[in-house]
Amino acid sequence: MRIGLVGYGHGGRFFHAPLIATLPGATFVGVVTRSPERRQQLANDHPGLPAFDTIGQIVEAGVDALVISTTLKGRPALVLEAIEHGVAVVSDKPFAANAEQAQALITAAERQGTLLSVYQNRRWDSDYLTLRKLIEAGALGSITRFESRVERYSPQAVGNASGGGWLRDLGSHLVDQALQLFGPVDRVFAQLHFTPEHPTLDHGFFVALTHANGVISHLWGSALQNSQAPRFRVSGTLGCYTVEGLDGQEDALMAGKSPKTEGEHWGAEEHRRWGWFEQGPERERVPSEKGCWPQFYRQLQCAVQGQGPLPVDACDALETTRILDAARLSAERQQVVSTKIE
């Protein structure tokens, strides 16, 4: 499979390019970027890999799939342009600025007959895979409350509009995981946090979801949290699972590592990060599954070859966007918002 990348900012450079470049059975065709600075970074990171000015040029070079990793403001137009060229398209998250925009992209892909997916890579985080395994095995019993957090102290991130605010950007991961685990949501309540310098761009959020099956999900994200709480705390009738810290794949990619350099050790957490199962006075360690962000691209390969479903269905991303729209509306109105479709 021949894959092209559009955009070489933080996401394109660190979250996509290393995985595409080391994907077995794939050719990394090149990157669309006009920035001289980013072209130089590309030359340093991937010597000899071509840079292109436009999507049209990289399509002419021959691609089976294009990955769009640019800022949210301009991304939907580029996704639409790629769709119109008739190649499979992966949109970075967040998928769109609102549900109406997300639906328009899905409709365009259906009309053109092209594959459209969204890069929800945290479906392949070590902690999420571990939690999913515990739930499917019935180890926690019936789940009553799901708590999920990604909290950092990154003041330099405050005011960064590239993802449309932390709710839209980071929240897309947390909502997607909650929907995958516990299904449709009936009601949403949310609070957003702003600074005086950036009164319209949130840097933190709390979202409460009431799922149709009765599970309550509490989701937090923050760029200004000095003391981070557990990544997951999941309570069930048979016990509770907690895990601290974040999946290590992001740090590995930022450090210049890749699935090629790490081999079978890629995504391994067992020597540095454990979860805990607790029931009353009993407490035991839970080894973490291996994280595997490359699995997204492996499944994309199969889908493009007609041998399996897309790694993330764009309709899942549409539902996530609907929940994020409801969360923003809830925060504005300071009240619970219903998401039931009558």
Side-chain angles (χ1 to χ4, degrees):
M1 186 172 71
R2 293 173 60 82
I3 308 176
L5 175 62
V6 181
Y8 205 66
H10 181 83
R13 184 183 184 189
F14 293 108
F15 285 1
H16 292 286
L19 301 184
I20 297 171
T22 58
L23 183 65
T27 298
F28 192 4
V29 175
V31 177
V32 177
T33 178
R34 295 192 184 98
S35 165
E37 178 186 358
R38 290 175 179 171
R39 285 190 168 209
Q40 186 58 56
Q41 291 171 340
L42 176 64
N44 295 338
D45 298 340
H46 303 276
L49 189 68
F52 298 87
D53 289 329
T54 67
I55 286 177
Q57 286 180 356
I58 199 170
V59 169
E60 285 183 10
V63 292
D64 300 302
L66 278 176
V67 179
I68 314 297
S69 182
T70 60
T71 59
L72 175 59
K73 184 177 181 180
R75 188 187 308 143
L78 294 172
V79 170
L80 183 60
E81 182 181 351
I83 288 170
E84 290 172 348
H85 279 285
V87 297
V89 183
V90 173
S91 170
D92 216 338
K93 59 80 207 164
F95 181 38
N98 53 54
E100 181 181 5
Q101 193 177 71
Q103 182 62 68
L105 294 175
I106 292 172
T107 300
E110 291 173 346
R111 186 186 304 118
Q112 189 71 17
T114 60
L115 298 176
L116 175 61
S117 190
V118 180
Y119 191 60
Q120 291 288 3
N121 55 311
R122 292 198 177 275
R123 291 189 185 184
W124 291 273
D125 276 5
S126 62
D127 43 34
Y128 175 77
L129 294 174
T130 304
L131 173 59
R132 184 153 205 153
K133 183 177 179 180
L134 290 172
I135 291 174
E136 291 174 353
L140 302 177
S142 298
I143 305 302
T144 54
R145 188 178 304 275
F146 172 60
E147 299 176 30
S148 174
R149 300 170 176 85
V150 174
E151 299 172 325
R152 295 169 168 151
Y153 184 70
S154 303
Q156 70 277 8
V158 176
N160 185 343
S162 63
W166 273 60
L167 173 67
R168 189 71 61 185
D169 192 4
L170 183 60
S172 65
H173 282 312
L174 304 191
V175 170
D176 177 72
Q177 289 180 336
L179 290 173
Q180 288 296 299
L181 291 171
F182 307 114
V185 168
D186 287 343
R187 296 186 300 280
V188 177
F189 174 77
Q191 297 171 322
L192 301 182
H193 307 300
F194 303 89
T195 61
E197 295 80 11
H198 303 283
T200 61
L201 197 65
D202 59 280
H203 68 268
F205 59 85
F206 167 72
V207 178
L209 307 178
T210 302
H211 294 266
N213 64 3
V215 173
I216 302 296
S217 290
H218 283 176
L219 316 176
W220 288 264
S222 177
L224 293 177
Q225 179 54 259
N226 289 280
S227 178
Q228 291 83 36
R231 170 68 183 92
F232 288 134
R233 183 169 69 173
V234 188
S235 301
T237 55
L238 296 181
C240 180
Y241 170 71
T242 59
V243 62
E244 306 278 346
L246 293 173
D247 177 276
Q249 293 174 90
E250 179 177 350
D251 285 346
L253 290 168
M254 293 294 293
K257 299 177 182 178
S258 72
K260 183 176 182 179
T261 65
E262 303 307 294
E264 64 180 16
H265 297 294
W266 178 261
E269 299 272 4
E270 64 266 26
H271 298 305
R272 71 178 191 88
R273 186 164 172 253
W274 296 80
W276 293 94
F277 173 82
E278 298 177 73
Q279 184 183 35
E282 298 179 13
R283 189 171 193 250
E284 62 179 280
R285 282 184 168 185
V286 178
S288 294
E289 297 292 304
K290 277 187 178 181
C292 193
W293 290 359
Q295 184 63 24
F296 177 93
Y297 279 110
R298 294 173 192 161
Q299 288 186 220
L300 179 67
Q301 280 179 299
C302 292
V304 169
Q305 294 165 359
Q307 298 174 356
L310 286 165
V312 176
D313 192 308
C315 290
D316 290 351
L318 171 61
E319 185 60 21
T320 293
T321 308
R322 286 185 61 245
I323 301 302
L324 295 172
D325 288 353
R328 185 166 292 279
L329 183 62
S330 171
E332 290 173 356
R333 293 181 176 177
Q334 300 184 24
Q335 64 185 39
V336 174
V337 171
S338 173
T339 56
K340 287 185 179 180
I341 299 177
E342 302 297 338

